[in-house]
Amino acid sequence: MSSLSFQLSKLRSLRRLLHYRLKSVILAISVIFIISIILITSNGNYNNNNNTIITNSWYPSSNTFGFYNTKNFVDTKKDLSHLDLSNVLSKTLVNKFPIPNDETFSKFDDFKFTGYITNLNIQNLIESKKDELDKHELKSKDGSPITVKEFELMLTNNYDSLVGCEDLAYSSKIHYSVERKIISDDLLSLRKEIIRAEDEIAKHMVHDNEKGKDDAEIVKSNWFRFGSSSVWLEKEQCYITVTRLMYSSRGRKQGPDVSIVRAQAFDRNWNELFNKRIPKLDLKIPENLEEELKKIDIEYGLSSDVCKAFDETSSEYDSCIINQKKNYLKNEKRRNQLLNKYFITYPTIYKFPIKFGGRFSGPEDPRIIMKTTENHVADEPVVVFNMQDSGSRRMYGFFPHRTVDSLIKFEIHNDGMRNQEKNWAPIFTDNDSSTEFSRGSIHFIYNFMPLEILKCSLNDGSCEKVFSKKTLGLSDKTNFGGVRGGTQFVPLPSVIPRIPGKQLWLGFSKLHIDKCGCGEKFYRPMLNILVEEKGIYHQELIVPSMDFNTEVLDWDTTSYSCKYYNVMSPNSIAFWDVISQDPNNKKFDDLLVFTYSEADEISKVMAIKGLLDYVLNLYSAKDLEEEFIPSRDVEAILATTLGCVKQYAENVCKEYGALHPVEEEEKEKEKDKKQ
């Protein structure tokens, strides 16, 4: 073969080799690409209703009640009814959740109830009534066939003539724990601790009429505690619980001399934790904390190592031991004063300036809400309460885990303030984030009917009304003072996808109606779903009564009859998150921990399951508008729902009163009290 032919043959062979290798590289790249697509797709959840993929990207949560945040989105509220997150939830670190590991909350029962929506799709309602008429299924209220004239009246544009309570009703059931834990305290020891402090609080929690009485007698007649509000502090793996502690020298809980905020820590089984030390957020804590604490104990003569410098058989050793025991209490107090600058140790009493004088001094109705950060690194509780201030009652915020500017007073600057400000329901929105220099802000539901929202700075307490009935041009037809603040409001668990531009929260407000068939005053928890979009807030759903089949103690805590006040008050949502989802029926296993009070004297905690399904299924069970748009019908919309809520609540009150009548003998006693 010639040299040229040989060279051409080599070139052809080389070209074939390069072509083969190039095809191999392209094939390998294609395989890698296809595998990547499969992995991404398999890590998501297919939504059969709108043919979209919900991907599950894992990020640390900034949500108060969730350990993970998928940062996912769905297009509409209806999509929330068709979620498949079972794959995601199988990876959830539920050991971070406060799931009891004993028999606490092991048995559950069913609770059936009805709520009422506010944002019904009217056009679809009219069409459905037309269909019912065509099928001869539409009946009058008395059950007779509907007439043409009646149907024409039903097609009117007058909302309150068109819509009835049956159109707005959304009924279902959830599950509540039969077991209720009482949130208790050692009041005898606490009284001694307060008096021993010899501070301003101690001076106002003793009275001359107590001379000659023993401690147990004084506590039984003059000390009261209720309104326990809790949050789960994930980093510390404990509940932080605040309770209103009242002292009345006259022995009347409805007219105390002074109130203070008692704070306790509990584990996941609701066992109290003593000497639970939590570092303050605005001070630097050494990394080798345990070693530094040992050094402090040695410095203050509290360590057993102090006397080891001496021979145990020497007189110097004996003198050291005697001196250590003799000065132990004094040195312990000095040590604690130092540590209190850097830590808060539970149980404790939150201390801040109080204006004493007359009755009702001090903080009332404390509510706690968790302010969260990425990775839960600097989560902190914020306590809000009302307190007397120069003849008026004002709302305050307290940062118990801070040293600098721990107390702020809230003042509304773009609207007038009432003489008695109270019952503000706290809520954190997406716009309340903080920075290294600013604590950010907090929102409050200032009024429920009509809905009014405040935004308040956590730096100086300056508030402005950002949403009110003026925003919607409402008259007094939508006013109802029977709904008041109860728990904080919390977002849906963070694993639930978000809807772009919308925020949803759940909370328990408090029903407060007078002389409705059970005593003089009747209080019950209510369930509310709050939605915000483009600065417009509305209550999407209101459940008039959520008593969880509770036998409520009467005001004297001696029976369950309807005498005087019959009070069940919601205090907090201590925790809410999703544990798992059934891959077959798609039902969520969620846990909500709820605290409430009876008779303004005893606080209890219970567990609730199934509430997430109730909320999410709302959007498939009822035909709601996707947006709440202010219109000429908005007043009729809100007034109609309000009428249904009031009617349902009054019926609940009457039914409870019929089942819990006051005996004749007790009625006579009540007459004597009033005289």
Side-chain angles (χ1 to χ4, degrees):
M1 182 182 292
S2 68
S3 176
L4 179 61
S5 299
F6 177 76
Q7 294 296 330
L8 288 172
S9 177
K10 283 181 65 177
L11 285 172
R12 283 194 292 269
S13 298
L14 180 62
R15 187 174 64 182
R16 283 196 297 270
L17 178 63
L18 289 173
H19 180 69
Y20 173 79
R21 289 185 176 177
L22 182 61
K23 286 179 68 177
S24 299
V25 170
I26 293 172
L27 178 62
I29 293 172
S30 300
V31 170
I32 292 170
F33 178 76
I34 291 169
I35 291 173
S36 300
I37 292 295
I38 292 171
L39 287 173
I40 292 171
T41 306
S42 65
N43 195 38
N45 295 299
Y46 191 73
N47 187 330
N48 291 318
N49 290 301
N50 57 8
N51 297 326
T52 59
I53 296 294
I54 303 174
T55 59
N56 302 314
S57 306
W58 294 91
Y59 293 87
S61 172
S62 61
N63 184 292
T64 305
F65 297 89
F67 188 64
Y68 285 121
N69 190 342
T70 61
K71 304 285 186 182
N72 290 325
F73 293 92
V74 293
D75 293 331
T76 68
K77 289 183 287 190
K78 268 189 168 54
D79 294 332
L80 295 175
S81 303
H82 311 289
L83 299 174
D84 183 357
L85 304 176
S86 53
N87 183 47
V88 176
L89 288 166
S90 66
K91 304 166 188 173
T92 301
L93 301 179
V94 295
N95 62 314
K96 296 284 185 177
F97 295 170
I99 302 172
N101 50 24
D102 61 6
E103 292 301 311
T104 306
F105 310 140
S106 59
K107 184 181 178 182
F108 286 78
D109 212 339
D110 293 343
F111 175 63
K112 298 177 181 179
F113 59 99
T114 298
Y116 295 93
I117 62 173
T118 60
N119 202 17
L120 188 65
N121 187 318
I122 300 303
Q123 292 305 314
N124 287 354
L125 177 66
I126 292 174
E127 292 302 318
S128 68
K129 290 186 182 295
K130 284 181 179 179
D131 291 342
E132 290 175 359
L133 184 68
D134 291 341
K135 297 174 184 177
H136 306 288
E137 293 177 354
L138 195 60
K139 305 289 184 181
S140 296
K141 290 183 179 180
D142 61 2
S144 60
I146 196 167
T147 65
V148 174
K149 182 61 70 175
E150 285 174 326
F151 178 66
E152 288 176 346
L153 290 173
M154 295 178 89
L155 300 185
T156 176
N157 289 325
N158 189 354
Y159 180 95
D160 45 7
S161 298
L162 176 67
V163 178
C165 292
E166 67 279 2
D167 300 310
L168 303 176
Y170 172 48
S171 301
S172 189
K173 70 177 180 180
I174 56 177
H175 317 289
Y176 64 90
S177 61
V178 177
E179 177 76 13
R180 315 283 175 94
K181 285 270 188 174
I182 295 176
I183 303 175
S184 59
D185 200 356
D186 182 355
L187 294 184
L188 284 173
S189 297
L190 179 56
R191 180 176 184 272
K192 292 176 181 177
E193 178 187 328
I194 289 174
I195 293 173
R196 191 164 53 240
E198 296 182 341
D199 57 11
E200 196 67 21
I201 290 176
K203 292 177 185 177
H204 290 85
M205 298 192 78
V206 293
H207 196 273
D208 291 341
N209 64 12
E210 296 173 353
K211 290 179 180 179
K213 297 181 180 179
D214 62 31
D215 291 338
E217 187 180 357
I218 293 169
V219 166
K220 184 178 179 180
S221 61
N222 296 353
W223 286 56
F224 307 90
R225 64 189 307 277
F226 82 102
S228 295
S229 175
S230 306
V231 288
W232 176 251
L233 191 54
E234 183 179 285
K235 185 179 178 182
E236 297 292 336
Q237 285 292 289
C238 70
Y239 290 104
I240 301 298
T241 299
V242 296
T243 302
R244 180 185 178 190
L245 177 65
M246 301 180 294
Y247 169 75
S248 171
S249 59
R250 301 177 303 140
R252 299 189 64 188
K253 62 184 173 183
Q254 63 268 45
D257 301 347
V258 62
S259 298
I260 56 177
V261 177
R262 174 63 163 172
Q264 298 166 274
F266 295 89
D267 68 13
R268 65 181 61 216
N269 300 321
W270 288 94
N271 300 308
E272 186 169 6
L273 302 174
F274 295 94
N275 298 313
K276 173 65 176 177
R277 189 179 286 134
I278 298 178
K280 293 194 175 178
L281 294 169
D282 50 1
L283 294 176
K284 186 176 181 181
I285 304 296
E287 293 182 6
N288 56 338
L289 182 57
E290 291 302 319
E291 293 179 18
E292 292 297 324
L293 290 174
K294 288 178 182 178
K295 291 178 183 178
I296 290 173
D297 282 350
I298 292 173
E299 179 184 347
Y300 282 85
L302 297 170
S303 172
S304 58
D305 294 339
V306 172
C307 300
K308 284 185 177 180
F310 305 103
D311 188 323
E312 291 186 13
T313 62
S314 67
S315 59
E316 288 89 349
Y317 179 80
D318 291 339
S319 297
C320 179
I321 293 294
I322 292 170
N323 188 59
Q324 187 182 39
K325 290 181 178 179
K326 184 172 65 175
N327 295 303
Y328 187 87
L329 290 177
K330 181 182 72 174
N331 290 336
E332 183 185 47
K333 185 176 181 180
R334 289 176 58 222
R335 188 272 309 269
N336 289 342
Q337 287 174 341
L338 172 65
L339 293 181
N340 286 343
K341 295 178 181 179
Y342 295 89
F343 302 90
I344 183 162
T345 304
Y346 292 92
T348 187
I349 293 169
Y350 288 155
K351 300 243 177 125
F352 40 78
I354 295 175
K355 292 183 179 179
F356 292 98
R359 290 189 296 139
F360 302 105
S361 298
E364 297 185 4
D365 306 326
R367 295 291 184 266
I368 190 168
I369 184 171
M370 190 63 76
K371 188 174 187 292
T372 60
T373 59
E374 289 292 321
N375 294 314
H376 299 283
V377 173
D379 290 359
E380 68 173 315
V382 180
V383 181
V384 297
F385 52 83
N386 64 81
M387 186 165 61
Q388 285 285 77
D389 177 46
S390 302
S392 300
R393 186 161 289 276
R394 291 290 175 259
M395 290 292 297
Y396 290 80
F398 181 64
F399 298 84
H401 294 179
R402 288 182 181 264
T403 299
V404 179
D405 294 332
S406 58
L407 183 71
I408 56 173
K409 181 170 70 171
F410 295 115
E411 297 280 357
I412 304 172
H413 293 294
N414 67 338
D415 205 343
M417 295 187 70
R418 298 173 293 215
N419 186 53
Q420 301 291 319
E421 290 292 1
K422 55 192 304 186
N423 296 319
W424 296 11
I427 179 172
F428 279 115
T429 74
D430 291 342
N431 300 320
D432 288 324
S433 59
S434 56
T435 67
E436 290 187 18
F437 294 101
S438 171
R439 298 180 187 180
S441 54
I442 188 172
H443 283 66
F444 291 98
I445 301 177
Y446 181 70
N447 195 55
F448 281 85
M449 292 184 172
L451 189 63
E452 295 183 305
I453 307 291
L454 298 175
K455 180 180 181 180
C456 300
S457 168
L458 289 176
N459 298 314
D460 58 14
S462 176
C463 303
E464 62 174 331
K465 221 175 247 188
V466 294
F467 185 81
S468 70
K469 66 180 184 181
K470 295 177 184 176
T471 310
L472 301 179
L474 301 177
S475 70
D476 292 342
K477 290 182 180 179
T478 57
N479 289 5
F480 178 52
V483 184
R484 302 179 184 179
T487 72
Q488 80 278 44
F489 273 61
V490 301
L492 302 185
S494 59
V495 74
I496 303 302
R498 300 285 300 271
I499 305 165
K502 289 185 175 66
Q503 299 184 75
L504 281 76
W505 301 271
L506 176 141
F508 292 90
S509 59
K510 180 169 62 179
L511 174 71
H512 181 163
I513 49 181
D514 299 335
K515 298 179 179 178
C516 56
C518 177
E520 293 188 20
K521 295 183 183 296
F522 184 78
Y523 293 11
R524 287 296 184 271
M526 306 176 74
L527 179 68
N528 307 73
I529 296 177
L530 182 70
V531 180
E532 181 273 338
E533 183 177 18
K534 298 175 183 176
I536 301 296
Y537 292 81
H538 75 281
Q539 296 179 80
E540 192 120 271
L541 175 78
I542 304 170
V543 180
S545 179
M546 296 286 286
D547 64 9
F548 306 102
N549 299 326
T550 303
E551 296 285 308
V552 179
L553 284 168
D554 68 26
W555 191 250
D556 293 333
T557 68
T558 57
S559 71
Y560 297 99
S561 63
C562 283
K563 61 181 180 183
Y564 199 34
Y565 297 167
N566 195 268
V567 175
M568 180 183 180
S569 297
N571 295 329
S572 69
I573 297 172
F575 175 84
W576 189 29
D577 217 318
V578 191
I579 298 169
S580 63
Q581 185 183 25
D582 189 313
N584 298 314
N585 60 24
K586 307 309 178 197
K587 288 186 177 181
F588 286 104
D589 179 17
D590 65 320
L591 172 68
L592 187 147
V593 182
F594 175 64
T595 73
Y596 67 96
S597 297
E598 294 178 42
D600 280 8
E601 192 160 339
I602 185 171
S603 295
K604 298 180 181 179
V605 58
M606 63 184 291
I608 302 168
K609 291 189 173 185
L611 201 48
L612 180 60
D613 278 331
Y614 176 74
V615 173
L616 300 182
N617 291 337
L618 164 67
Y619 299 106
S620 59
K622 303 301 294 185
D623 189 10
L624 279 78
E625 295 280 5
E626 184 61 30
E627 298 180 11
F628 183 80
I629 301 174
S631 66
R632 62 186 179 85
D633 285 330
V634 69
E635 183 162 279
I637 291 171
L638 298 178
T640 302
T641 300
L642 172 58
C644 300
V645 167
K646 289 170 67 176
Q647 180 182 341
Y648 187 96
E650 288 172 358
N651 288 339
V652 168
C653 176
K654 289 175 184 175
E655 290 172 5
Y656 188 87
L659 293 172
H660 301 82
V662 179
E663 300 297 333
E664 290 301 320
E665 184 177 330
E666 291 179 328
K667 288 180 180 178
E668 291 300 321
K669 289 180 181 178
E670 288 301 308
K671 287 181 182 178
D672 293 339
K673 279 185 181 180
K674 293 176 182 178
Q675 292 172 356

